[in-house]
Amino acid sequence: MLNAIKDKIRSNNKLRFYGRVAIMYYRRKRYGLKHCHPTFYTKDPRELSRDFVAHEYAFCAKLCIVGPQVELGAYSMLGPRVLIVGDDHVFDKAGTPAYFAGRPDRKPTKIGRDVWIGAGTIVMTGVTIGRGAIVAAGAVVTKDIPPYEIHGGVPAKKIKDRFTTEEERRIHDEMLDQKPTLGEFCAPIKEVPQSD
């Protein structure tokens, strides 16, 4: 019975959306995420800094760790186990262990609209990832990524452009410049039953 109700909700985009909003209302209150838009969704908010800013329809998958001063743009997605960390110890004070040397001033990390950061990626604090960029799973981002570029590797380097023509980029820019609106969610991934 319960599985039938869950399947009905999952198959209806509007029911699914309002269910997510209701769940996130509770999670935002419980974990102090007052800077996250009501349409932001995550299953695991425990490791998100309380000053984390998430805009409309942004998403964080399971096991993400997000440090202070991070802003996630509308429609952007963080895959599982994404870490946004670093720049949190002074290490160049001769005669003082890094453990006791203090912390430098933290730089804000900005992730633009419609950015997709793949599973297991590490984003170093203080970088800016431009709108429409994609970061491949397992990458380590140490420098800014321009808009609409796909980067991957350790350290992350450009693989290619997301769009092949300026016209495609212009069309996408026009869409991203509009007020964010609800679209059709991807269908949930169904687990394949294991055979004995």
Side-chain angles (χ1 to χ4, degrees):
M1 173 80 169
L2 188 58
N3 285 339
I5 293 169
K6 285 182 182 178
D7 287 341
K8 184 169 179 80
I9 291 171
R10 286 185 185 128
S11 66
N12 184 310
N13 197 52
K14 284 197 178 196
L15 279 176
R16 196 165 156 219
F17 169 71
Y18 289 116
R20 290 171 85 150
V21 168
I23 290 166
M24 280 310 298
Y25 176 80
Y26 166 77
R27 290 178 183 159
R28 281 194 326 275
K29 295 287 185 200
R30 172 137 197 252
Y31 294 99
L33 299 173
K34 61 184 175 185
H35 305 291
C36 294
H37 192 272
T39 59
F40 164 72
Y41 186 75
T42 183
K43 286 188 171 193
D44 190 10
R46 293 171 294 174
E47 297 293 334
L48 303 179
S49 179
R50 288 180 181 252
D51 69 349
F52 177 56
V53 176
H55 293 273
E56 298 91 334
Y57 308 104
F59 172 78
C60 287
K62 291 181 180 179
L63 305 174
C64 288
I65 297 176
V66 178
Q69 297 183 342
V70 175
E71 182 174 357
L72 183 63
Y75 306 120
S76 290
M77 302 180 291
L78 303 181
R81 299 177 319 282
V82 168
L83 308 177
I84 303 176
V85 295
D87 198 26
D88 57 356
H89 290 284
V90 173
F91 56 84
D92 56 358
K93 280 188 179 176
T96 305
Y99 188 80
F100 300 117
R103 290 194 156 97
D105 291 336
R106 204 158 178 82
K107 299 174 203 126
T109 304
K110 301 230 181 245
I111 300 168
R113 287 180 170 213
D114 191 34
V115 171
W116 180 13
I117 299 178
T121 295
I122 298 171
V123 178
M124 299 306 292
T125 297
V127 301
T128 297
I129 300 176
R131 64 173 22 195
I134 297 173
V135 181
V140 176
V141 180
T142 59
K143 296 180 180 170
D144 293 353
I145 296 177
Y148 301 115
E149 288 187 4
I150 300 172
H151 284 236
V154 180
K157 291 184 173 44
K158 182 178 178 181
I159 297 171
K160 66 180 191 172
D161 290 313
R162 179 172 173 183
F163 299 115
T164 56
T165 68
E166 282 300 315
E167 178 65 10
E168 290 173 320
R169 186 176 170 151
R170 184 191 62 72
I171 290 168
H172 207 73
D173 269 334
E174 286 177 4
M175 182 275 299
L176 290 179
D177 288 339
Q178 296 174 15
K179 183 180 179 198
T181 58
L182 177 63
E184 190 73 30
F185 289 110
C186 292
I189 298 172
K190 293 192 178 196
E191 291 183 26
V192 178
Q194 299 208 354
S195 58
D196 295 324

